[in-house]
Amino acid sequence: MTPPATLPGLRLLLRHQLRYLARTPAATAAQVLGTALGVASVVAVHLVSERIQARLDADSVTEYTHILRAGSLTEDDYFDLRARWRNGAVTGIEAVVPVVEGYAAAGGQPRRLVGIDMLARPDGRVGSFAGAKLPRRRLLADRRPAETGREGPSGAAIDLLTRNAVLAGKALGLAPGDVLRLNDTEVAIVGVFGSTADWFVGDIATARRVLDRADPTAVWIRAGADSPVLERWLPGITAGFRQPDSLDLGRGLRARPWSEAEPTRRFALALLFNLGALGMLALFVAAFLVYQSAHANVARRRSSDAQLAALGVPRGTLRLLFVGEGILLGLMGAGLGTGAGWGLAALLVQGPAPSPDVLPLSGVAAAKGAVCGVGVAALGAFAASTRSPSRLVPRAWAAGAALLLLLSAWSATLAGAFGIVLALCLLQIAVLVPWSGRALRRLFERGSAPMGVVHRAAVRSVANQLAEVHVAVGALSVAVAAAIGIGIMVDSFRRDFSGMLDQRLWEGVHVETAAPLPDRAASLDPVRAVPGVTDVRAYGRASVALDGVSARVTLTRGDAEEARRYGYGNPFPEAVLLNEGGARALGVAPGDTVRVAGGRGSRAVEVAHVFRDYGAPGPRIIAATDQFEPLLDGIAYDSFSVLTDGSQRDTVAAALQARFPGAVVRDHVETRQLALDVFDATFEIASELTLIALLVAVAGLYNALSELQARRRGENRLLYTLGVGEGRIALLATQQNGVIGVAAAVLAIPLGLAIAWVLCVEVNPVAFGWSIPWTPTAGSILPPVALGIAAALLAGLAPTRAAARAVTGAARHELA
Amino acid sequence: MLQVDGVAFQRADGAQVRHILRDVSFRLGPGQVAAVWGPSGSGKTTLLNLIGGLLRPDAGAVRVVVEGAADRSREIAVHALSRAGRLRYRRRHVGFVFQFLNLLPTLTVEENVLLPLELNGLRNRADEALGRLGPLGIADLARRFPDTLSGGEQQRVAIARALAHAPALVLADEPTGNLDADNAARVADCLWEQVRDARAGLVLATHNERLAERADIVVRLRQ
């Protein structure tokens, strides 16, 4: 019977373990640094996601979920709503904020001004403008900038409340301290917000004075978040979950989701969601790096481990020691990695120049890094100290991945789509990489390969060891695949989105009036007479039932010009255009017939075309006014497009603002540019985050290649003794690393295509009701593949040199 | 064919200098066997390293007479060769048999035997080299990988590989050290027979007295 390990024995074992770590500083440092790099990527990706989320909040007000806009909305209506909400009559709401919004002349240019009641929210937050999530206590306790000598949000807050002061969108190019006239009121700029915003934000009182309007134009509402904890840990991911419905506020008031009222909001959510998905992939790759580092650190001691086991040290005691060591080194790596990740994130979001805007390190980011570093390191050490880790662990992964794939395939939800991506990544690491190693070995075992004996030995060695270093090779493969998948998705998305903007936003200005136009002709005929206006198109909105399913209808002219806005070339006087979400919900395709039922009757109509709709999650049809108006009740003609010849858009916008007070007037050219700017800025960061994932994978591969070359030391010594020079041994090692890089990169292509397909065709439709055309191009695939191969060669440089040096140093004394 | 004259080798051990070998001299003719005998730590392996060109002596000389072009013999002063020269000498003129780690695990028996030929660009001698598998009793193992062979079989493959490129010298370090008595005797017989057939010289490091007694020359090393 094996005697239990006594305390003195444990003390000696601990001493043995610590001395081993101290005597192999390079290997110990490799684990700490590997863990640090993994943690750094997790922390950096998280902090960058948080910052982008805040930036998108500032640009498109994503913090609020609904908007109540009614033509006759008065301050009394708002106070009544607030009273009912506070009494509990209206539930599920976190904040109700009255807003006065409109256009004001600034230096001859009409500029949007949004006035928010900054003291309206019970939690004291005013929004994310300028990063100014300011607690009310601080707002009220804050002193004037003149007294504190400070500028910026904290100093600015009191100014916003007490004098005519506003925050300026960064795109306006203004700075704190500037003074300008908005309409006839002199206002001071006390802060800058957003990145691409070209509008002003101020307190509601300031907006009232500037716009000369007493009643609010809208009420912004924040409904309770579905998964606040998940959102904190994976910023952006819940943007793809269920989208909010309309809110019934009683007394005939109904708040619309922001995503319906503001298409750019939906777009921002799409960006946030895809960023969240990228963060998950980075976490996945980092976890594998940490696992690989911890596993390698324990695996290198198999022989001394076996000696101790032979001496009677219980397996459980050894495992405990290794897991303890994993936790210790994981803690060191997590500490280093958190600092490095913080610095990296600051570099990514702020650039190399010193900035006074210090990126805060959130507790969640630090905790996430610590869990990834310490937890996964302990897991890796545990797995490496089990009896047959090389067989048990991949089989467990493969079984888990297969189960996940099975469950996900049945689920038509976003979680299901993500499950598919995760399962594919796991299968890549646990099954495909080891399998390809075996296939490679079989291919070269037959001896038919046209290469020399020495090279054959080297390739077979890699093929044998691919099964053992499959975690690192798989992680590199997943990182390359993520780069391919995201690259294809982003390219496809941008191409499609840009094309959609070109179609939909024709030259001119779009106006959403605060109330439906009572007499279209009387209201719009004068607009046609404005210089520069070439056409005016009114849009009516109403609710209908489409084959019994609730839907929205937009009434307009059924001519070819309107059809082209939706990617269809023909007039559709009798038919309708149906959005993609509607076609999906109803299961119809172009040429099918649907029954449109309104308040006054119904009729069967043909679906002429299915169009992509980035602004509407539910079914929506575009129909010709003259044919469908007689069927419908309650049509609201509350928006119209003014087509211009392009020369006088600003003047036209200002004229429209004057004619329709309280209306939201948007220049299509600016809207288009704003959307594309936000798109490019976000995905530029996304590509940098993908690069971080790739770097992390390279570090993992470095560990694996070092382990591989260490195992090959005996073979290399033998070759050296037989007369193979150091240079040739280094060349062989490089070829082995090249084979690994090529294997990882080639295996990444199908996975990358699959990830792109799932993101484009499964995730986005489920999350947002639209699909992105899956259009892989060589430009999306080849650069990550080349990068993967180069990364493998780069990761192999140091182990290759070590392999060549080892034979000269060690062979002389230990061999022959 | 092999002349070792007054060879000495020392190694720095911290501040002290440790003398591994002092004034070792012997001569060996073609087809002869020299047994280097001594207790553990006496420098047997170091002497083989010096003869094989893996190390350079601090004093003395190692000379080997080899067959050159047009059957003209020439002498190689191994101790004076550069690193690259010693690499070429080892590759072309020396065969090795070790106690462990003899064969590349990723090559078949046949490929392991062909390895020295490929390194020397002598693939035209493949038939001759592989023909040695029959007399060694391992012809039917040609397509097998080393991890499927017994210890004795692996050592016989190592002998075939050591002689494949017709070296002037075969250096064997405890070639029977990990074999049982019967297998050790069979492997030793094979080694003797093959080396004499090839007219190569064999330098054998061993602490097995019975094996040393079979040698033509015994070089005794003391601690």
Side-chain angles (χ1 to χ4, degrees), chain A residues 444-447 451-458 460-461 464 714-715 718-726 728 808 811-813 815-816, chain B residues 9 11 45-46 48-49 54-55 83 87 90-91 96 98 100-108 111-112 114-115 118-119 123 145 161 173:
Chain A
F444 286 99
E445 260 176 18
R446 293 195 185 108
M451 59 168 62
V453 174
V454 178
H455 290 98
R456 206 178 296 168
R460 278 183 196 159
S461 178
N464 283 343
E715 294 171 40
L718 182 58
L719 285 172
Y720 182 73
T721 309
L722 294 177
V724 180
E726 293 161 55
R728 196 158 175 202
T808 55
R812 288 188 292 236
H813 302 297
L815 244 173
Chain B
F9 185 78
R11 187 187 293 168
T45 299
T46 303
L48 259 62
N49 283 345
L54 283 160
L55 295 174
R83 199 162 156 183
L87 188 75
R90 201 161 61 239
R91 185 165 64 214
F96 288 91
F98 311 116
F100 300 110
L101 278 172
N102 254 314
L103 307 173
L104 285 172
T106 48
L107 294 182
T108 61
E111 289 166 341
N112 262 291
L114 293 177
L115 181 62
E118 181 169 307
L119 293 175
R123 291 212 66 148
F145 281 91
R161 190 196 56 203
D173 190 359

Side-chain angles (χ1 to χ4, degrees), chain B residues 17-81:
Chain B
V17 173
R18 194 172 147 216
H19 295 277
I20 311 286
L21 293 171
R22 275 184 191 166
D23 196 23
V24 178
S25 302
F26 70 95
R27 288 171 186 232
L28 186 71
Q32 282 193 318
V33 177
V36 181
W37 186 87
S40 297
S42 58
K44 298 187 294 292
T45 299
T46 303
L47 182 58
L48 259 62
N49 283 345
L50 292 168
I51 297 168
L54 283 160
L55 295 174
R56 283 176 84 165
D58 293 311
V62 177
R63 292 188 172 83
V64 178
V65 177
V66 300
E67 292 296 322
D71 289 340
R72 288 173 60 186
S73 56
R74 65 184 175 96
E75 185 183 270
I76 300 173
V78 179
H79 61 279
L81 289 174

Side-chain angles (χ1 to χ4, degrees), chain A residues 281-595:
Chain A
L281 276 173
L283 183 66
F284 187 76
V285 173
F288 275 113
L289 166 62
V290 175
Y291 179 91
Q292 174 75 33
S293 303
H295 191 281
N297 186 43
V298 174
R300 70 193 162 109
R301 276 175 284 175
R302 287 246 166 84
S303 58
S304 68
D305 178 22
Q307 277 179 35
L308 291 171
L311 288 173
V313 179
R315 176 65 54 180
T317 305
L318 282 174
R319 198 174 297 149
L320 187 70
L321 285 167
F322 285 132
V323 170
E325 180 190 302
I327 291 173
L328 178 71
L329 297 181
L331 270 172
M332 291 165 69
L336 272 176
T338 303
W342 190 12
L344 183 63
L347 198 67
L348 283 174
V349 301
Q350 292 168 339
S355 164
D357 181 18
V358 176
L359 183 75
L361 173 66
S362 70
V364 175
K368 204 166 142 181
V371 168
C372 177
V374 179
V376 179
L379 186 69
F382 180 82
S385 60
T386 51
R387 260 177 214 285
S388 308
S390 57
R391 288 187 176 183
L392 269 179
V393 176
R395 282 182 188 171
W397 283 357
L403 188 66
L404 191 60
L405 194 62
L406 203 65
L407 292 174
S408 302
W410 278 340
S411 166
T413 63
L414 187 63
F418 257 106
I420 290 173
V421 171
L422 193 62
L424 288 176
C425 293
L426 277 173
L427 284 172
Q428 178 95 345
I429 292 174
V431 179
L432 206 58
V433 172
W435 176 84
S436 63
R438 283 193 288 276
L440 202 62
R441 190 170 56 197
R442 279 201 199 99
L443 180 72
F444 286 99
E445 260 176 18
R446 293 195 185 108
S448 55
M451 59 168 62
V453 174
V454 178
H455 290 98
R456 206 178 296 168
V459 174
R460 278 183 196 159
S461 178
V462 172
N464 283 343
Q465 286 163 343
L466 259 183
E468 293 177 47
V469 295
H470 68 278
V471 171
V473 178
L476 177 66
S477 188
V478 166
V480 173
I484 292 173
I486 289 165
I488 292 174
M489 189 271 285
V490 172
D491 279 359
S492 305
F493 192 4
R494 197 184 193 287
R495 203 175 302 122
D496 194 49
F497 185 69
S498 175
M500 188 276 294
L501 290 176
D502 286 342
Q503 284 175 354
R504 209 68 60 86
L505 301 177
W506 47 27
E507 189 77 39
V509 176
H510 187 77
V511 180
E512 279 204 29
T513 56
L517 300 170
D519 182 344
R520 264 181 292 155
S523 301
L524 300 183
D525 282 348
V527 177
R528 291 193 172 88
V530 172
V533 172
T534 57
D535 193 7
V536 179
R537 288 171 174 260
Y539 297 98
R541 283 189 303 205
S543 295
V544 291
L546 276 184
D547 284 348
V549 175
S550 176
R552 291 185 302 121
V553 58
T554 299
L555 297 177
T556 180
R557 290 183 214 162
D559 57 10
E561 282 75 21
E562 197 64 41
R564 273 196 285 278
R565 291 185 66 211
Y566 299 92
Y568 183 59
N570 303 317
F572 55 104
E574 303 283 338
V576 294
L577 312 181
L578 176 63
N579 71 343
E580 199 181 354
R584 192 182 301 275
L586 298 170
V588 297
D592 291 347
T593 301
V594 291
R595 177 156 289 277

